[in-house]
Amino acid sequence: MRSTAEARRATVLDRAVSVFARNGYHATPVTAVAAAAGISEAYALRLFSGKQGLFVAAVEACYDRILATLESAAEATGSDDPAKLLEALGDAYADLIADRDLLLFQVHAQSVSDVPEVAAAVRSGYKRLVHFLRTAGATDEQIQHFVAYGQLCHLIVTAGLDNVDESWANALTAGMRHVS
């Protein structure tokens, strides 16, 4: 059984992703995250050693969720063919980023990668992703393609391109599947 502090930490991280997703790192006070989690700002600061610690922990939790989802999808495919596996992982990721908060949080995390601790957490998340994909048998070229498509998915969803019926938008969204 988890301690109260561990359970509260998990709740705060879940809420932090949602709250930071709305306004980003710089414009979100710890009080907003604490209020969403139903705790005091002082307790939130004690749990995470400040706003930066909270944001970095949320980045790590975000990548934990992504990797757990991809690992489950990989197990569910039962295929050893990297191409089929990557297709299934892409579908799982498309389902995952239907959670707009998770998607926007990732975009915000990348946008504040000038903060060294945030950059380190983002790089660590991608390092774990690449390691997982290599373990699944993907080549570096396939991994690059997978990540590039993931970033294209971010653009399509955040800019609402699948709702734009113009040739330029259709060129970017052709063959892409997203959950509305």
Side-chain angles (χ1 to χ4, degrees):
M1 175 160 254
R2 293 195 303 185
S3 73
T4 303
E6 288 177 68
R8 184 60 74 183
R9 237 178 107 77
T11 299
V12 173
L13 290 174
D14 181 60
R15 300 306 184 279
V17 168
S18 295
V19 175
F20 282 120
R22 283 184 229 124
N23 297 309
Y25 174 69
H26 294 297
T28 301
V30 173
T31 53
V33 175
I39 63 171
S40 70
E41 177 182 15
Y43 188 44
L45 292 171
R46 215 170 33 250
L47 286 173
F48 296 98
S49 303
K51 178 179 176 176
Q52 183 176 288
L54 172 59
F55 192 83
V56 167
V59 171
E60 292 165 351
C62 176
Y63 282 101
D64 287 346
R65 183 174 169 197
I66 292 167
L67 268 290
T69 298
L70 297 181
E71 288 167 358
S72 293
E75 288 174 17
T77 65
S79 176
D80 290 336
D81 177 4
K84 288 182 182 176
L85 183 62
L86 287 170
E87 184 178 339
L89 297 180
D91 288 344
Y93 188 71
D95 291 340
L96 186 62
I97 64 171
D99 176 349
R100 194 159 176 83
D101 286 346
L102 184 72
L103 170 64
L104 291 175
F105 179 79
Q106 289 180 72
V107 172
H108 281 300
Q110 289 177 352
S111 76
V112 291
S113 286
D114 59 328
V115 176
E117 294 79 2
V118 175
V122 169
R123 284 192 300 266
S124 175
Y126 277 104
K127 179 181 179 180
R128 291 171 53 206
L129 173 64
V130 168
H131 176 75
F132 167 72
L133 294 172
R134 281 184 176 151
T135 301
T139 65
D140 285 356
E141 184 179 357
Q142 288 171 314
I143 292 167
Q144 185 181 52
H145 187 87
F146 183 81
V147 172
Y149 265 80
Q151 292 300 309
L152 179 57
C153 287
H154 289 190
L155 172 65
I156 291 168
V157 174
T158 58
L161 297 184
D162 42 356
N163 297 319
V164 177
D165 190 19
E166 296 181 33
S167 66
W168 68 268
N170 294 335
L172 294 173
T173 61
M176 301 294 284
R177 182 189 74 78
H178 298 293
V179 179
S180 299

